[in-house]
């Protein structure tokens, strides 16, 4: 059976990274695509693990060489999904998750209409702001950009197949698991019966 593409989006600070860390711990068969970005690394981020941190000219070369499955500009930086790693995993039958912003998600869903699309919502915009500030890793200007962009993104949540509010983390995680595995494939049913 071929692999499946899962597109997960939602405003910055909503908790996508936190949710995905737990999801990947529980389901090692899932592969999270590592994006390229021109943004500077945050204190805790590692090149090649969290992102491939590249210069603007390196990013532009990747675009020219058609190495990116999708890309977008977000808060003054470029972000994109390297195509080869995703293609290789899908061809091997693995499930691949893309954690990307709205414009990129729209591009991917045009090319891969069968992808599963999930939008993560905050309980409120105030709580979103608290989370971005609480993370304490973005300069003030970046926070303002992110909050502005968040409102546009939230308005587009209905374009996605599934919307999940990340209020209680564990509840949101269970809903993501249900979205991905709930409509059980034959493989998973037999795993559950073992
Ligand atoms: P994103 O990847 O969407 O930008 P992060 O995963 O970095 O968001 O989360 C932003 C902040 O919100 C982090 O400090 C994280 O610990 C916190 N957070 C995530 N989920 C929840 C939740 N359900 N309740 C409270 N805080 C949360
Ligand atoms: P951050 O700077 O907070 O890590 O990410 C900012 C935004 O860029 C988030 O909404 C994140 O989902 C998105 N993003 C991360 N990687 C990619 C990518 O490869 N492509 C696109 N289009 N967006 C991405």
């Amino acid at each position: 059976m071929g692999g499946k593409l899962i597109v997960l989006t939602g405003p910055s600070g909503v908790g996508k990274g936190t949710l995905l860390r737990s999801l990947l711990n529980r389901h090692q068969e899932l592969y999270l695509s590592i994006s390229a970005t021109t943004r500077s690394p945050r204190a805790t981020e590692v090149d090649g693990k969290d992102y491939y941190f590249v210069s603007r000219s390196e990013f532009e070369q990747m675009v020219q060489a058609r190495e990116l499955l999708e890309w977008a500009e977000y808060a003054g930086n470029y972000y994109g999904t390297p195509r080869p790693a995703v293609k290789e995993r899908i061809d091997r039958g693995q499930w691949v998750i893309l954690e990307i912003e709205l414009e990129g998600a729209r591009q991917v869903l045009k090319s891969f209409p069968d992808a599963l699309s999930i939008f993560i919502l905050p309980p409120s915009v105030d709580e979103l702001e608290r989370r971005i500030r609480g993370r304490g890793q973005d300069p003030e200007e970046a926070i303002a950009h992110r909050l502005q962009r968040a409102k546009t993104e939230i308005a587009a949540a209905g374009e996605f197949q599934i919307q999940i509010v990340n209020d209680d983390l564990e509840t949101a995680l269970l809903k993501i698991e249900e979205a991905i595995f709930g409509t059980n494939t034959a493989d998973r049913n037999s795993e559950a019966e073992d």
Side-chain angles (χ1 to χ4, degrees):
M1 193 178 98
K4 191 172 172 74
L5 201 56
I6 300 160
V7 177
L8 187 124
T9 191
S12 176
V14 75
K16 302 181 298 295
T18 309
L19 287 163
L20 284 173
R21 262 195 301 282
S22 300
L23 185 73
L24 293 168
N25 269 335
R26 291 193 199 177
H27 301 280
Q28 274 148 31
E29 71 274 29
L30 297 174
Y31 170 76
L32 178 64
S33 160
I34 303 170
S35 299
T37 183
T38 60
R39 158 165 90 57
S40 308
R42 296 184 180 128
T44 56
E45 289 177 329
V46 178
D47 187 34
K49 182 167 170 277
D50 298 288
Y51 280 107
Y52 297 108
F53 294 99
V54 299
S55 66
R56 274 184 106 81
S57 68
E58 282 170 324
F59 194 96
E60 280 157 7
Q61 275 167 27
M62 293 171 94
V63 173
Q64 292 274 310
R66 303 182 58 82
E67 282 171 19
L68 300 176
L69 193 65
E70 60 72 37
W71 65 275
E73 192 165 3
Y74 178 97
N77 286 297
Y78 291 137
Y79 294 79
T81 304
R83 190 193 303 273
V86 171
K87 186 177 179 314
E88 187 191 307
R89 256 94 185 177
I90 298 259
D91 288 349
R92 271 201 252 144
Q94 235 180 315
W95 289 24
V96 176
I97 306 183
L98 308 184
E99 190 257 273
I100 59 179
E101 55 66 66
L102 180 64
E103 297 302 328
R106 283 175 170 154
Q107 290 175 47
V108 172
L109 293 174
K110 256 193 213 150
S111 331
F112 297 87
D114 292 341
L116 172 67
S117 64
I118 303 176
F119 194 98
I120 309 292
L121 285 158
S124 66
V125 174
D126 283 353
E127 172 61 15
L128 182 67
E129 182 165 1
R130 268 194 292 279
R131 287 186 191 171
I132 295 179
R133 290 188 187 283
R135 182 165 64 189
Q137 299 212 357
D138 297 304
E140 191 57 36
E141 191 193 276
I143 293 176
H145 258 294
R146 273 151 209 271
L147 284 171
Q148 200 179 19
R149 181 89 167 220
K151 290 176 189 154
T152 317
E153 297 205 326
I154 290 168
E159 294 175 25
F160 291 75
Q161 287 165 333
I162 292 162
Q163 294 94 34
I164 295 171
V165 178
N166 179 21
D167 190 352
D168 173 65
L169 193 74
E170 184 59 28
T171 307
L173 194 53
L174 287 172
K175 287 187 180 158
I176 296 178
E177 286 182 308
E178 194 186 319
I180 297 177
F181 304 119
T183 51
N184 272 335
T185 62
D187 298 356
R188 287 184 188 284
N189 278 331
S190 64
E191 262 173 37
E193 282 159 17
D194 281 344

